[in-house]
Amino acid sequence: QAQLVESGGGSVQAGGSLGLSCTGSGYTIYCMGWVRQAPGKERERLAFITSGGITDYADSVKGRFTISRDNAKNTLYLQMNSLKPEDTAMYYCAVAINCVDVSTTTYRNWGRGTQVTVSS
């Protein structure tokens, strides 16, 4: 399995949108997820998507963020809308383990992350 590489982060004003991508070959059969970590805060599990397309979201992003994947392109996505300053964090993609409830999912094969900054 190749290293996962995130892209698409940047700076945006509150209310704006960003789309993150995560590429890496060898992950099409795995459940994949997104996690974020803000300075001084614990990692927050955001969303996962199974190989069959089942998704789950944290309450903090439900209705605003959408996780998707394109296995033909070896790419995982996170579309983020209605962004808030509290969404500012480093965002990571990873292989998700035990994809039943996003709050209890564990992760491995982390990417290096992409920074998202939302200004008010």
Side-chain angles (χ1 to χ4, degrees), residues 20-69:
L20 305 183
S21 298
C22 170
T23 58
S25 60
Y27 297 96
T28 57
I29 65 170
Y30 293 100
C31 182
M32 301 291 294
W34 289 94
V35 180
R36 69 185 178 190
Q37 187 165 21
K41 295 186 178 181
E42 294 186 355
R43 285 176 179 169
E44 181 181 12
R45 304 171 177 93
L46 298 179
F48 68 69
I49 182 167
T50 67
S51 59
I54 296 171
T55 60
D56 194 21
Y57 296 90
D59 288 343
S60 60
V61 303
K62 196 172 294 183
R64 299 190 298 124
F65 290 12
T66 302
I67 189 171
S68 61
R69 65 194 299 169

Side-chain angles (χ1 to χ4, degrees), residues 4-117:
L4 291 169
V5 179
E6 301 92 339
S7 62
S11 297
V12 65
Q13 288 191 328
S17 298
L18 278 176
L20 305 183
S21 298
C22 170
T23 58
S25 60
Y27 297 96
T28 57
I29 65 170
Y30 293 100
C31 182
M32 301 291 294
W34 289 94
V35 180
R36 69 185 178 190
Q37 187 165 21
K41 295 186 178 181
E42 294 186 355
R43 285 176 179 169
E44 181 181 12
R45 304 171 177 93
L46 298 179
F48 68 69
I49 182 167
T50 67
S51 59
I54 296 171
T55 60
D56 194 21
Y57 296 90
D59 288 343
S60 60
V61 303
K62 196 172 294 183
R64 299 190 298 124
F65 290 12
T66 302
I67 189 171
S68 61
R69 65 194 299 169
D70 185 335
N71 288 336
K73 296 182 178 179
N74 292 314
T75 303
L76 177 73
Y77 302 100
L78 186 68
Q79 178 63 38
M80 306 184 294
N81 299 327
S82 302
L83 283 162
K84 305 174 182 179
E86 51 263 44
D87 294 318
T88 296
M90 186 71 79
Y91 284 70
Y92 302 89
C93 66
V95 173
I97 309 298
N98 298 322
C99 290
V100 176
D101 185 318
V102 69
S103 66
T104 58
T105 303
T106 56
Y107 296 89
R108 64 174 176 85
N109 295 63
W110 295 79
R112 294 182 178 179
T114 186
Q115 178 68 38
V116 172
T117 302

